[in-house]
Amino acid sequence: PIIWIATSNEDKVNEFKVFLSNFEIKTLKDLPDYVEPDETGTTFAENAVQKAQALSEHIQGMVVADDSGIEVEALDNFPGIYSRRWAYPITDWPTINQKLIDKINVETDQSNWNAQMISVMALVDVTCDKVETFEGIVQGKISHQVQNHHQGFGYDLTFIPDGSEVTYSEMGPAKKNEYSSRQIASQKLKTYLGGRNEK
Ligand code: ITT
Ligand code: NA
């Protein structure tokens, strides 16, 4: 079957292709004229539902969206839902990761580097009033230096999941996808979709 994912983030799409390998994946790339809604929610779940709902209205069918980010414990869970936006206009990920490390060094006593990666997926179908959300959380910590191994994206350059000595970037996509917040949320989504999970 086909599954629509309301994302324009190609890195997310590459992971979805692994997790939802039984589906033919369509994304915003297949709808060049579609205008994405602003993310105005106050939680990952609200933003994910917003993104899924807008596309579901457009295609009049079932849509999945993903809202995700990182929460640093010593920074009161910052940047959270602002993970993509907080460093604007800086958009290159090595620099943004370095800015996050700098912030921990400057604004905290540097004793707590705990962080968590969160991915919330929304499944929305406006034609039958369906709204479901699925959450994946992985605990870990921020490395004291950016580890740019040219693999992964976003905060993969500094996030070390619990149980690992290295960042997601250093372990590479296959290992990351074995245990990531997106993998956990995808698993819940697949279980929910159940019998429809075949080509
Ligand atoms: P959408 O089109 O799906 O909204 P986006 O990039 O705007 O794509 P978000 O609003 O969910 O996505 O922003 C979350 C940011 O957090 C994203 O840009 C990434 O840089 C980062 N992020 C998300 N998932 C990540 C992961 O698995 N590893 C590292 N960083 C991640
Ligand atoms: Na976004």
Side-chain angles (χ1 to χ4, degrees):
I2 289 174
I3 194 158
W4 277 92
I5 304 183
T7 186
S8 50
N9 180 325
E10 283 304 308
D11 296 299
K12 287 186 186 179
V13 174
N14 288 334
E15 294 186 1
F16 272 116
K17 282 181 178 160
V18 174
F19 303 136
L20 302 174
S21 58
N22 294 325
F23 291 87
E24 181 189 336
I25 289 175
K26 297 240 184 227
T27 71
L28 298 185
K29 223 181 166 177
D30 299 298
L31 287 176
D33 295 331
Y34 177 75
V35 180
E36 288 179 70
D38 288 334
E39 291 177 27
T40 58
T42 58
T43 62
F44 292 109
E46 275 176 28
N47 284 334
V49 169
Q50 217 167 49
K51 288 188 263 190
Q53 187 146 5
L55 183 60
S56 179
E57 267 155 26
H58 186 84
I59 66 154
Q60 288 294 307
M62 191 181 82
V63 170
V64 171
D66 167 302
D67 202 61
S68 44
I70 195 162
E71 293 183 342
V72 177
E73 194 172 79
L75 297 175
D76 293 327
N77 293 334
F78 181 89
I81 60 167
Y82 303 105
S83 290
R84 191 179 59 119
R85 297 170 268 171
W86 73 276
Y88 190 81
I90 297 167
T91 52
D92 84 281
W93 283 104
T95 307
I96 294 173
N97 278 271
Q98 185 58 54
K99 272 178 75 83
L100 188 61
I101 294 169
D102 293 346
K103 208 170 158 61
I104 297 170
N105 276 318
V106 169
E107 296 179 17
T108 80
D109 67 7
Q110 304 166 20
S111 65
N112 177 4
W113 292 76
N114 292 340
Q116 54 185 11
M117 281 270 220
I118 300 178
S119 170
V120 177
M121 276 170 209
L123 178 78
V124 174
D125 189 343
V126 296
T127 66
C128 58
D129 286 326
K130 181 194 293 298
V131 179
E132 300 285 343
T133 58
F134 309 93
E135 184 178 70
I137 300 183
V138 170
Q139 314 276 349
K141 55 185 185 295
I142 302 287
S143 68
H144 294 209
Q145 283 170 346
V146 175
Q147 303 293 336
N148 189 2
H149 288 245
H150 306 286
Q151 303 188 92
F153 68 103
Y155 298 95
D156 289 350
L157 308 185
T158 44
F159 184 73
I160 303 170
D162 281 355
S164 169
E165 296 289 311
V166 298
T167 60
Y168 276 141
S169 176
E170 292 161 277
M171 65 178 76
K175 206 91 190 114
K176 174 190 175 184
N177 288 341
E178 280 176 22
Y179 192 70
S180 70
S181 51
R182 187 159 298 104
Q183 182 266 335
I184 294 166
S186 295
Q187 208 54 52
K188 292 178 182 173
L189 169 69
K190 273 169 75 168
T191 302
Y192 178 84
L193 292 172
R196 284 187 279 170
N197 179 23
E198 298 132 37
K199 210 156 221 164

